[in-house]
Amino acid sequence: MATLTYTVFSLGEAQLHQLHTGNGKLFVMGEVAVELFQESPTAFLQELRKNKLPKLQSANRDVLHTVAELHLPVESSANSQGVCLLPASTVETLLIDKRRMELVQPFKLALLKLASQEAARLMAAGEYELALPVALDAVQQGQALFKPAPALQLFPLYLLAAQANLGLRRAKQCEDFLALASWLAMKEPGLTTSIMKSQLSRLYGQLYAFQSKHAEALHAFAEDVYYCSLEYGPEDVRTSLGYYNMGKVFQSAGDIEKAASCNDQVVAIWAATLNAVVLGLTEAGGAGRPAGAAALPVGRLQLMEVVDMLADITRTRAAAVGSGHVTVGEAHLVTALALIQLEERARATEELEAAAATFGSDDAERMRLVDMARIMLKALG
């Protein structure tokens, strides 16, 4: 027996667990009865049978084990017949029928948020085929929730659907959703933040890059950098992806010098930030962590993507100037610092040694950084 994955819903003072079963994501009827309606699970089940609402009786061992482990209330017949599970549509109908209208909107919003998070998680894992139907379902939920007039709350849902389609190389469908998001942004310019504009520009840039429209892609990525700079500053790590994307477009267009310049900016930004966060150095190289640099403003998944980005820049530099060039060593060092932050010791050690091999013993300043990184790496043990 295994404990199923589950999601916790908070609705006012009530709390529900949505189990991720082989039959979909379902709520435990007994918990719905007690938490939302303060009724006996057994009596509640009898009422459900009369109303003929969709439900599922499950004797699956993993389901029973999870329900028992979470100490969820169940009907008296659960031991012999299994537990009754309810889809979200049934829970919503019950809230309306039993006049708990104050919970209907929060319940729908919670479902929408979870669908959005699930789509984003699947895309982060590269599972675009699985992410697309989830993203489209989130769009449908949002359109139903915020009707009759299209609302700016649909903006991130349209971007999710656009990204999922782009991941499946469906350019036309991606462009359609981006157009919907653009229309919402133009409709509510005062409420559209710089971050929202950055996200929209970045996706347009990715679409145009996929279509080999280099000029349009560069313009879109430049807008991404501009809006990120307004929000975070031009040398913030969250702005660096825009520079990297511009570099990739310049590289595709054959402008190697401009591509290298963009990559230099990315490495410089991450070097300054990781020197502060990992090594405790100020930008000038002195000891003492500057205010605000105690933590990176990106999560673990994003930092893993940054490692891939830095590794790509390292390979590009090595191909252009040779693997022994000092700039290649600098890229290895920054990559190592990111891996130390992720606590990936083996890969961090490889990157550090590659950096040390390019610097040489007479490069005192860079070797000092390598030695400091080695001390931090050893401390992870």
Side-chain angles (χ1 to χ4, degrees), residues 267-290:
V267 173
I269 289 172
W270 277 98
T273 300
L274 291 171
N275 282 345
V277 173
V278 179
L279 303 182
L281 298 176
T282 62
E283 190 172 350
R289 184 170 294 162

Side-chain angles (χ1 to χ4, degrees), residues 3 7 59 74 89 133 152 184 216 281 350 372:
T3 302
T7 304
V74 295
S89 59
L152 198 59
L184 288 177
E216 293 90 338
L281 298 176
E350 291 178 6
M372 292 180 69

